[in-house]
Amino acid sequence: MSMAETKDPAGSNTPPVAPSSGGKSARERGGWLAKIAPGIRNLVTKRDTPENLWVKCPDTGEMIYRPDLEAALWVTPAGRHMRIGPALRFAFTFDEGQYEELPAPTAPDDPLHFSDGKSYVDRLAAARKATGEQDAMAIATGEIGGTQAVVLVQDFAFMGGSLGMAAGEGFIAAAHAALERQCPLVAYTAAGGARMQEGALSLMQMARTTLAIQELKEVGLPYIVVLTDPTTGGVTASYAMLGDVHLAEPGALIGFAGQRVIEQTIRETLPPGFQRSEYLVEKGMVDRVTPRNELAAVLGSILKTLMMGRARR
Amino acid sequence: MATHFLEFERPIADLQAKIDELSKLSDTAGAGAFDGELDALRARADVLRHEAYAHLDPWQKTQVARHPERPHFINYVDGLIEEFVELRGDRCFADDQAIIGGLGRFRGVPVLVMGHEKGHDTTTRLKHNFGMARPEGYRKAVRLMDMAERFNLPVITFVDTAGAYPGIGAEERGQAEAIARSTERGLTLNVPMIATVTGEGGSGGAIALAGANRVLILEHSIYSVISPEGCASILWRDGSKAKDAAEAMKITAQDLIGLKIVDRIIQEPAGGAHSDPDSAIQRVGDVVEEELKLLMTLSPAELRKQRSERFYAIGRSGLA
């Protein structure tokens, strides 16, 4: 069942969408950072707003010094990979954080004149105001480990990352950008599922994005999926499961049906670890769980090998 | 004649009870004793049925689409496919009877036919898991579509599912991947594919069998991203608002044709497909035959191109 939660169920798990800028370097604190992200401290700088200097860990309740969390790519000392938006993803993925953002296409707003008490138009406006984005997909191009790639990031902060017409067009545009440049496509997925406010038009995006992937396959360009927390519903049941390679961040919720729906259907509690990244690797649906600080290197390596093979044809 | 009446059919049901009673009386009283009255009552019932079915709201259509006596996959196969031979199993794990498929001839044309089957009584409903497929169902669909392509057989599907089954086993065996692969296989076929939404077209479980060149829908069928109940429980946080959700999501055949999500509406008999299943089934056959004849003139490359253009075009024009 495709479904999009419009609220972020994890609440505090979502950091701001843009990386911090300006200010002085973060101070050194212990060995945790040095292990996870050696040297990164010098690249990331302190946020200039004095409030929110401490972030509460959603798992342990511990207060984490925000500059440290930023330096650790928003991975807590407990290992939780907190949800991050497109700007941070791009910065962490591309070599030296250098990339060119590509425009994401728009689609008609509210084609069904949908309202569930609050109108979809109002929800869209609120999501745009909160994120500064037009919809859930952001596209950029740059190099990953020396290989040019187009990267698509689905932003959970925008209406639960839900897949509507604009997001579908965004995916197609990203695939076409990769085709134009004859380079691979990397998609970071994060969504509650389809955008119900667009009815069957959102369902059609499952087929439309699948067609875009076929265009890449026909010319032998790699399509790599990085599944992040959470990836569920119609998104998982289309482009998130059609990659040449599937990577997943540790502990990400990945599945088709929502856990509440499954529990209500079978009237049993779910086993621990159910629908988490590690479980999907064990069940053969994901190639590898890759911590955030290793993602760029692993992606770079995979893309290099695949593109070298392609060049030999 | 249907024996199961929906809530909005109550006046028709009452009239039908009178007709039944009178015709029994007529039998005992001697042939033809109440013919005049009976004819008048039957005419009145027809008028009521026409009126009710001409103005169904989306929630009523949802009830009709789920009507237990609505023709199901096995009825379409019985009525339209000569020498149907069922093929079972995904060659990996199991056979899922929520999706049935096999070989046969449709009005003389060799085809591969498959679809969701919901079952018609407790035993068969359990056997077919109420038409809610597990990964094995979609993997069987992929297997059969592969074969159809090898033998140059058009693929005809009948869509009728509340959605894919949400269960632990289904998830652990890759429900999402199985659906994605099935949708992908339909979209990449080098043979014609026609999907008909005969009842409920529910979410990913439906599109897995509907990545087709032509998507047809019965007059009172629905096709949606999530069931009205599911949408209501998530957005309204109240499952009882399903009627509101059904209206808001634009799930009826009449809404969907305007959005170009479906290509053609197949008219049902006056009281819905369940009131006259045989004629409903043959009407579906007539339209599928017409569409198939057109598609069979296209080359494999043209078929793929048409399918891709069809889906890419959705939402790109004609919307407010």
Side-chain angles (χ1 to χ4, degrees):
Chain A
M1 256 126 277
S2 313
M3 49 193 61
E5 294 278 356
T6 49
K7 284 181 186 164
D8 176 3
S12 64
N13 191 5
T14 309
V17 292
S20 61
S21 59
K24 58 188 176 185
S25 315
R27 69 196 165 91
E28 288 294 331
R29 274 170 62 93
W32 153 62
L33 259 179
K35 254 186 276 167
I36 295 179
I40 192 120
R41 195 179 293 282
N42 303 324
L43 296 174
V44 184
T45 48
K46 190 171 157 279
R47 192 179 173 79
D48 33 23
T49 46
E51 64 266 29
N52 303 325
L53 204 56
W54 298 88
V55 178
K56 192 174 176 182
C57 173
D59 301 298
T60 62
E62 181 197 346
M63 297 309 287
I64 308 165
Y65 187 53
R66 188 185 177 108
D68 286 353
L69 194 55
E70 290 176 354
L73 317 183
W74 290 91
V75 178
T76 67
R80 174 184 288 256
H81 285 55
M82 295 179 79
R83 292 168 186 162
I84 55 174
L88 288 172
R89 286 281 176 207
F90 292 146
F92 299 162
T93 302
F94 289 111
D95 298 349
E96 281 87 48
Q98 298 291 309
Y99 61 91
E100 178 202 344
E101 187 147 4
L102 303 174
T106 54
D109 284 349
D110 194 21
L112 307 184
H113 311 294
F114 190 100
S115 177
D116 54 47
K118 188 176 176 183
S119 77
Y120 176 38
V121 173
D122 290 347
R123 286 191 196 279
L124 269 177
R128 284 173 182 162
K129 198 172 168 211
T131 61
E133 304 286 342
Q134 278 301 294
D135 212 285
M137 295 293 197
I139 311 164
T141 184
E143 292 194 347
I144 308 175
T147 304
Q148 199 197 357
V150 169
V151 174
L152 173 82
V153 176
Q154 193 162 15
D155 187 2
F156 190 80
F158 195 102
M159 293 190 74
S162 56
L163 175 62
M165 291 200 296
E169 292 292 357
F171 188 95
I172 295 165
H176 287 171
L179 277 170
E180 264 168 46
R181 291 164 179 77
Q182 290 288 295
C183 74
L185 173 65
V186 174
Y188 285 94
T189 62
R195 189 167 300 167
M196 287 172 290
Q197 292 89 345
E198 294 183 12
L201 287 165
S202 73
L203 182 67
M204 294 300 114
Q205 306 314 315
M206 292 174 68
R208 300 175 87 242
T209 54
T210 301
L211 283 164
I213 296 165
Q214 299 314 307
E215 294 190 57
L216 294 172
K217 285 193 175 178
E218 277 163 22
V219 296
L221 287 170
Y223 166 53
I224 313 295
V225 183
V226 184
L227 297 118
T228 75
D229 185 61
T231 299
T232 59
V235 170
T236 320
S238 58
Y239 57 88
M241 278 289 141
L242 293 172
D244 294 303
V245 178
H246 296 162
L247 305 178
E249 287 197 325
L253 177 74
I254 303 164
F256 177 60
Q259 300 209 337
R260 198 162 45 99
V261 175
I262 299 173
E263 279 179 329
Q264 282 166 0
T265 307
I266 61 171
R267 296 175 204 288
E268 277 174 49
T269 46
L270 302 170
F274 180 66
Q275 291 182 326
R276 296 288 165 182
S277 303
E278 297 73 13
Y279 170 95
L280 269 94
V281 170
E282 192 189 308
K283 300 299 175 191
M285 290 297 139
V286 166
D287 293 285
R288 183 185 163 116
V289 174
T290 307
R292 191 168 289 164
N293 64 330
E294 293 173 17
L295 264 175
V298 171
L299 281 171
S301 173
I302 291 168
L303 294 180
K304 185 175 180 181
T305 305
L306 291 176
M307 290 306 275
M308 278 175 74
R310 181 175 187 266
R312 282 157 53 109
R313 286 191 313 187
Chain B
M1 187 59 66
T3 54
H4 177 98
F5 288 93
L6 300 170
E7 189 54 39
F8 69 89
E9 294 178 305
R10 189 52 49 203
I12 306 168
D14 292 345
L15 204 57
Q16 189 60 45
K18 271 185 203 156
I19 294 169
D20 292 346
E21 205 177 318
L22 200 60
S23 62
K24 249 186 224 156
L25 266 177
S26 170
D27 288 346
T28 45
F34 298 103
D35 276 2
E37 289 89 334
L38 272 170
D39 285 347
L41 284 174
R42 286 195 182 110
R44 175 80 195 128
D46 280 345
V47 169
L48 282 179
R49 200 170 284 119
H50 265 99
E51 279 172 0
Y53 276 81
H55 304 102
L56 296 179
D57 66 34
W59 183 238
Q60 289 169 336
K61 279 187 188 273
T62 304
Q63 307 309 312
V64 176
R66 295 170 177 169
H67 196 290
E69 289 161 36
R70 193 165 175 85
H72 285 174
F73 178 78
I74 54 167
N75 308 114
Y76 286 98
V77 166
D78 283 348
L80 298 174
I81 307 296
E82 299 121 47
E83 293 182 27
F84 177 69
V85 177
E86 188 187 352
L87 302 175
R88 296 180 57 173
D90 67 349
R91 300 295 187 265
C92 288
F93 183 78
D95 179 53
D96 181 356
Q97 283 286 301
I99 292 176
I100 301 180
L103 300 168
R105 263 109 48 216
F106 166 66
R107 301 193 176 172
V109 180
V111 294
L112 187 125
V113 58
M114 58 185 184
H116 304 94
E117 173 56 52
K118 287 181 168 177
H120 59 270
D121 57 21
T122 307
T123 314
T124 55
R125 278 178 195 131
L126 289 172
K127 177 184 170 194
H128 298 292
N129 198 32
F130 301 85
M132 293 188 288
R134 296 179 168 91
E136 296 71 46
Y138 302 109
R139 294 195 175 119
K140 172 166 70 180
V142 170
R143 179 196 147 215
L144 296 183
M145 285 189 272
D146 283 343
M147 190 173 68
E149 189 168 88
R150 280 200 304 282
F151 292 93
N152 194 28
L153 304 175
V155 175
I156 296 176
T157 67
F158 296 95
V159 175
D160 188 14
T161 182
Y165 185 68
I168 292 179
E171 291 290 319
E172 96 184 319
R173 298 192 301 278
Q175 184 73 295
E177 195 263 358
I179 291 170
R181 293 284 171 207
S182 183
T183 311
E184 177 187 51
R185 190 67 269 247
L187 291 169
T188 53
L189 276 174
N190 284 319
V191 291
M193 176 167 173
I194 298 179
T196 305
V197 183
T198 58
E200 269 182 289
S203 119
I207 198 147
L209 296 190
N213 293 95
R214 298 288 280 172
V215 181
L216 317 175
I217 188 166
L218 268 69
E219 186 184 355
H220 304 308
S221 285
I222 59 168
Y223 191 13
S224 68
V225 66
I226 183 171
S227 69
E229 292 88 341
C231 178
S233 94
I234 293 171
L235 289 187
W236 277 259
R237 305 205 171 263
D238 178 357
S240 69
K241 299 283 188 196
K243 186 177 191 297
D244 297 324
E247 275 164 26
M249 282 200 296
K250 307 284 188 282
I251 59 175
T252 70
Q254 293 70 25
D255 287 321
L256 296 167
I257 196 133
L259 300 170
K260 295 182 185 157
I261 287 168
V262 297
D263 301 297
R264 191 162 165 183
I265 298 174
I266 304 172
Q267 295 303 310
E268 297 187 25
H274 59 276
S275 70
D276 187 355
D278 291 338
S279 91
I281 289 166
Q282 290 312 317
R283 275 189 213 188
V284 169
D286 293 346
V287 176
V288 171
E289 186 182 1
E290 233 179 88
E291 297 290 344
L292 189 57
K293 274 186 181 149
L294 293 173
L295 290 176
M296 282 169 66
T297 64
L298 301 181
S299 70
E302 287 169 332
L303 285 167
R304 287 184 62 152
K305 184 161 177 279
Q306 187 274 341
R307 220 179 275 124
S308 150
E309 285 172 353
R310 178 198 184 277
F311 280 95
Y312 274 155
I314 294 171
R316 284 196 174 156
S317 66
L319 296 179

